[in-house]
Amino acid sequence: MNKLRHIKAAFTAVMLLAAAWSASAQEPFKRGLEQISFIPKGQWITGVSVNYSQSDQDNYQFLIVEKINGDTYSFKVSPTLMYCFKDNLAAGGKFSYTRSRTRLNEASVILDSETTYDADHLYAITSNYYGTAVFRNYISLGTGMRFGMFNEVQLELGGGQSKITNGSGTDFTGTFERNFSVNLGLTPGMVMFLNNYSAIEVNIGVLGFGYTDTKSTTDRIYVARRKSKHANFKINLFSVSFGAVFYL
């Protein structure tokens, strides 16, 4: 009788454990992270960033480069428009235009008293256009509505042209280039709201794939082509960007 009683108790314990395991297996696993509606559905997100820089050199000296005379400038404008189609999820696009010019009238590279290299009449100008499809996922920091983070996936298509000339008179030579590029990247960032409608954003590229195809023609005779591919799996400090964005 005692042996039968022990068998019944063991069987009952096994059945109870099986029932408890079955009940726990039916419940979905939850991490307990609280997520609020940081950017509600229906909001439009728009903004524009403009960068401009210029420098002039008059008999400037830098290390072994002396007698630098020339000027340079760069300009970039990038408007953005996105729509929040679901709470904390937004999609849209960006357009970018960049232009840069460098003009070097003269410069000398002096290695020692007997070794000197001179350069003059160097001119380069570049213009590029880029269109970018953007998908963004916002993440709130706690229950506050002022600070948040986002993950942004970008697919960029672009192209442009550049012209490089050197020398003057019978020694004049020039190269004309056209390029096409495709880039896919992941750029996490942080957003800080100044009020209900405006915010400051900062993002940085951490993952990216790119392809560039360039065709160059020198002196309208020599044609060359180069193709390049790259993949980045690290934080790119040169891709850090800041901007003011409006949430309407």
Side-chain angles (χ1 to χ4, degrees):
M1 291 295 294
N2 291 335
K3 184 176 182 181
L4 182 60
R5 188 178 305 163
H6 290 320
I7 292 176
K8 288 182 178 181
F11 180 76
T12 302
V14 170
M15 293 300 295
L16 291 174
L17 289 175
W21 178 83
S22 177
S24 62
Q26 292 177 358
E27 295 181 359
F29 175 76
K30 295 182 179 179
R31 296 185 182 275
L33 299 177
E34 184 179 0
Q35 182 64 32
I36 64 175
S37 178
F38 187 69
I39 305 297
K41 177 182 177 181
Q43 276 205 320
W44 288 92
I45 306 167
T46 182
V48 61
S49 62
V50 179
N51 300 323
Y52 179 79
S53 64
Q54 180 180 357
S55 65
D56 298 285
Q57 296 82 32
D58 184 9
N59 201 25
Y60 180 70
Q61 178 178 345
F62 178 74
L63 298 178
I64 62 174
V65 184
E66 300 181 3
K67 301 178 182 179
I68 303 175
N69 290 281
D71 60 86
T72 179
Y73 77 83
S74 63
F75 171 78
K76 179 181 180 181
V77 58
S78 179
T80 302
L81 180 63
M82 292 185 290
Y83 178 73
C84 191
F85 61 92
K86 188 179 180 180
D87 286 355
N88 301 327
L89 296 177
K94 298 180 180 180
F95 175 79
S96 301
Y97 170 72
T98 64
R99 182 181 178 88
S100 62
R101 190 203 68 188
T102 301
R103 181 168 53 192
L104 179 64
N105 298 325
E106 63 175 337
S108 298
V109 180
I110 302 176
L111 301 179
D112 53 48
S113 59
E114 299 181 353
T115 307
T116 302
Y117 299 95
D118 296 325
D120 59 75
H121 296 93
L122 292 176
Y123 181 85
I125 187 167
T126 303
S127 299
N128 289 298
Y129 304 85
Y130 301 98
T132 307
V134 178
F135 174 78
R136 182 179 288 190
N137 177 28
Y138 287 90
I139 304 170
S140 63
L141 296 180
T143 58
M145 299 296 291
R146 184 172 295 273
F147 296 94
M149 300 182 66
F150 60 83
N151 289 318
E152 184 174 290
V153 180
Q154 300 179 349
L155 175 61
E156 179 185 81
L157 300 177
Q161 59 186 23
S162 62
K163 180 176 68 174
I164 305 172
T165 63
N166 181 24
S168 60
T170 58
D171 296 328
F172 180 83
T173 180
T175 299
F176 180 79
E177 292 186 344
R178 288 186 180 275
N179 67 83
F180 172 76
S181 62
V182 180
N183 295 283
L184 177 64
L186 175 64
T187 58
M190 179 171 288
V191 56
M192 181 186 71
F193 277 88
L194 303 177
N195 52 41
N196 291 332
Y197 305 103
S198 62
I200 296 177
E201 293 183 354
V202 56
N203 57 53
I204 182 171
V206 297
L207 174 64
F209 305 90
Y211 169 80
T212 303
D213 185 359
T214 304
K215 179 182 179 181
S216 61
T217 304
T218 303
D219 298 335
R220 298 186 179 181
I221 300 175
Y222 307 102
V223 178
R225 197 161 194 165
R226 67 179 184 269
K227 299 179 180 180
S228 63
K229 307 179 184 67
H230 71 267
N232 297 323
F233 297 93
K234 60 181 180 180
I235 296 177
N236 184 3
L237 296 178
F238 295 101
S239 68
V240 178
S241 62
F242 299 83
V245 181
F246 299 94
Y247 292 76
L248 307 176

